[in-house]
Amino acid sequence: MGAITKEGISIAEKSREIVKNKIRNVLGDKINSYSKEELSIIERVVHATADEEYAKLIYFKDNAVEEGVKAIKENKPIVVDINMIKAGIRYNNTYCFINDRKTYELAQKEQITRAVASIRIAKDLIDDGIVVIGNAPTALLEVIRMINEENIKPRVVIGVPVGFVQASESKELLRKTDVPSITTIGPKGGTPVAVSIINGIIAMSRDERV
């Protein structure tokens, strides 16, 4: 049993209550435009980051949560940009090729970044799979290029790279594709955000408490 507050409820429950109140304060009446599942994802991100601003920064496109749940139930692969994200995901069928020998070879041969090369290596897994990008905007841009130029169709893309160079732009371009996606508006994002989102979707697919 977890620690109990002086009000007689668990610290975990108290934390959830605080997070929900912060989300309501940030969203106001707009909270009604989100599904229960989307609000659960927002709650996870705000809890993981201790930053209620994410309540208004997370953007859901084309029923992305529902599509993600379906894909996980079908055991579709997840491709991520860095190993830290892979380590945080509670799902065995997850891949990261950033340190793969083939990635180094392709990056050197084509004179491209390892982030881009790792996505190219994963192309067959990305098509009809799930992509989670939390750090490398160039990786997300490569996914978008594949969608637009090679007719690669991920089931859902979680694109939340963090930073001031290409991060915002890459997410805006993703929102313009016809692929279901979850993004953050602006430069904010990163590993905790990416992992929170995908683990929330995985939990829903298993009917676990989100």
Side-chain angles (χ1 to χ4, degrees), residues 19-35:
V19 167
K20 287 180 179 179
N21 285 335
K22 287 183 178 296
I23 290 170
R24 281 192 287 267
N25 289 337
V26 170
L27 291 178
D29 291 341
K30 291 182 180 179
I31 197 168
N32 297 316
S33 65
Y34 294 89
S35 69

Side-chain angles (χ1 to χ4, degrees), residues 9-208:
I9 61 174
S10 71
I11 287 177
E13 288 296 327
K14 182 66 174 179
S15 179
R16 287 173 67 91
E17 178 186 320
I18 291 170
V19 167
K20 287 180 179 179
N21 285 335
K22 287 183 178 296
I23 290 170
R24 281 192 287 267
N25 289 337
V26 170
L27 291 178
D29 291 341
K30 291 182 180 179
I31 197 168
N32 297 316
S33 65
Y34 294 89
S35 69
K36 179 181 70 173
E37 292 76 15
E38 289 170 343
L39 286 172
S40 294
I41 296 297
I42 292 172
E43 182 182 330
R44 270 183 169 259
V45 173
V46 172
H47 186 271
T49 60
D51 186 350
E52 62 263 37
E53 188 183 19
Y54 277 108
K56 62 182 179 181
L57 297 182
I58 300 176
Y59 187 90
F60 302 92
K61 182 177 183 292
D62 294 344
N63 301 310
V65 175
E66 179 182 345
E67 292 301 318
V69 169
K70 289 178 183 177
I72 293 295
K73 286 183 175 181
E74 295 170 19
N75 198 37
K76 296 297 181 180
I78 297 175
V79 173
V80 305
D81 57 335
I82 64 167
N83 281 312
M84 189 178 295
I85 290 178
K86 181 176 183 283
I89 295 177
R90 299 167 53 237
Y91 184 73
N92 290 332
N93 198 13
T94 303
Y95 301 86
C96 179
F97 296 100
I98 193 68
N99 291 326
D100 192 279
R101 176 180 56 83
K102 292 180 180 179
T103 296
Y104 283 91
E105 292 174 351
L106 182 61
Q108 185 175 24
K109 178 183 177 183
E110 301 291 336
Q111 292 297 292
I112 55 178
T113 66
R114 278 197 297 136
V116 172
S118 69
I119 294 299
R120 292 186 185 178
I121 293 293
K123 181 168 72 170
D124 290 343
L125 295 171
I126 289 171
D127 196 21
D128 202 40
I130 299 170
V131 181
V132 181
I133 305 293
N135 291 266
T138 55
L140 182 55
L141 289 169
E142 180 62 16
V143 173
I144 295 164
R145 187 197 65 78
M146 286 180 175
I147 292 169
N148 292 334
E149 298 180 11
E150 299 187 34
N151 200 33
I152 298 298
K153 294 296 181 185
R155 294 286 289 274
V156 62
V157 177
I158 297 168
V160 291
V162 61
F164 295 105
V165 179
Q166 294 188 305
S168 297
E169 295 86 345
S170 64
K171 289 178 277 192
E172 179 62 32
L173 288 171
L174 177 59
R175 289 190 284 271
K176 292 178 180 177
T177 70
D178 61 356
V179 170
S181 64
I182 302 173
T183 54
T184 48
I185 298 169
K188 283 189 173 184
T191 297
V193 177
V195 172
S196 297
I197 293 171
I198 189 59
N199 277 342
I201 290 172
I202 292 166
M204 287 179 203
S205 76
R206 299 169 178 167
D207 294 322
E208 297 174 357

